[in-house]
Amino acid sequence: MEAEATTRSRRRLDVLDAAVRVLSERGFAQTRVADIAERCGISPSLIHYYFDSREQLLLQTLAYANDQFFLRLTRQLRTERTARHQLEALITLALPRAPDDPAGVGDWDLWLDVWVQSLRNPDMAREREILERRFRLTIRDIIERGRTSGEFPGGEDSRLLGTRIGAVIDGMAVQMLLNDADFPPDATRDLCVKLSLALIGSRVG
């Protein structure tokens, strides 16, 4: 029984891993369940066994990719000695990378699809908010750490600041994904750091 449960869990992770790649390549609108099934070598009916709908599959795929992002982020933050360096590392990992970077655009293709679907799907909108809140609270924690260490000044509510900085990151990321010439990767990353520090009230230079 335990072995069977382990097999089901692994198969579900295989489906999610394949879904990340297929959805990132094709987008939600152009992806069929059969495409994901073909990528991981199983039947479409088996995917329907794990997920009730394409929308649920998209959301669970984003949640899975989001978990992988936070795993990378947590490991990176542990190596940074100051709150400011942690904030810079978070922004660097969160923003899309240049097309020739092995990390590519990361999970942003999935986020764009979820945002579009959330406009008309209340269930997905609620789940999206939960996922985004996790990111904002991570920023809040870094701000609180910086205030405790004396790196960042006190002042405005740290949770509100986390929400605002998250919005700055999201907005710049969208422009980068659209290949806007006014938002080159390195310069945009630096600008995002400067704006975030300015919101916190920390010295930018």
Side-chain angles (χ1 to χ4, degrees):
M1 195 73 172
E2 184 177 344
E4 183 179 345
T6 300
T7 299
R8 285 199 302 268
S9 178
R10 287 177 179 171
R11 187 172 290 162
R12 184 176 182 277
L13 290 177
D14 288 342
V15 170
L16 289 171
D17 187 63
V20 168
R21 289 179 279 122
V22 174
L23 285 166
S24 294
E25 292 167 5
R26 302 188 180 193
F28 180 71
Q30 301 300 322
T31 296
R32 303 170 303 159
V33 169
D35 298 325
I36 298 171
E38 181 179 0
R39 181 67 63 94
C40 55
I42 61 176
S43 68
S45 61
L46 193 54
I47 292 183
H48 286 298
Y49 171 77
Y50 292 108
F51 306 97
D52 294 334
S53 64
R54 288 174 69 244
E55 289 76 15
Q56 185 191 65
L57 176 57
L58 170 61
L59 193 58
Q60 291 301 311
T61 299
L62 177 61
Y64 169 75
N66 210 42
D67 285 342
Q68 302 304 305
F69 166 77
F70 275 100
L71 181 61
R72 296 192 302 273
L73 178 61
T74 299
R75 289 172 176 168
Q76 182 64 39
L77 293 184
R78 286 175 181 165
T79 70
E80 304 297 342
R81 299 177 59 184
T82 68
R84 176 166 177 160
H85 287 156
Q86 287 186 338
L87 181 63
E88 291 175 354
L90 177 143
I91 291 171
T92 298
L93 286 175
L95 288 173
R97 267 71 73 194
D100 57 351
D101 189 308
V105 297
D107 311 328
W108 278 106
D109 287 339
L110 299 176
W111 272 112
L112 289 178
D113 278 327
V114 167
W115 282 341
V116 170
Q117 296 300 316
S118 294
L119 290 173
R120 296 175 179 82
N121 186 324
D123 292 335
M124 186 169 288
R126 283 191 292 270
E127 294 299 321
R128 174 211 59 78
E129 187 175 358
I130 291 171
L131 290 175
E132 294 209 33
R133 189 176 297 122
R134 183 181 181 184
F135 182 63
R136 297 166 185 164
L137 292 179
T138 300
I139 301 173
R140 178 206 63 182
D141 292 344
I142 292 174
I143 294 171
E144 290 291 344
R145 197 170 299 121
R147 286 177 171 175
T148 299
S149 68
E151 294 175 65
F152 298 153
E156 197 162 11
D157 179 74
S158 58
R159 179 165 180 163
L160 179 58
L161 287 174
T163 299
R164 289 177 176 173
I165 292 171
V168 168
I169 294 171
D170 287 348
M172 291 192 178
V174 170
Q175 299 303 319
M176 293 170 70
L177 288 168
L178 296 174
N179 295 315
D180 190 313
D182 290 333
F183 290 85
D186 291 341
T188 300
R189 182 263 183 194
D190 292 344
L191 176 59
C192 197
V193 169
K194 290 178 180 179
L195 288 176
S196 298
L197 290 172
L199 283 169
I200 294 171
S202 179
R203 184 170 59 87
V204 174

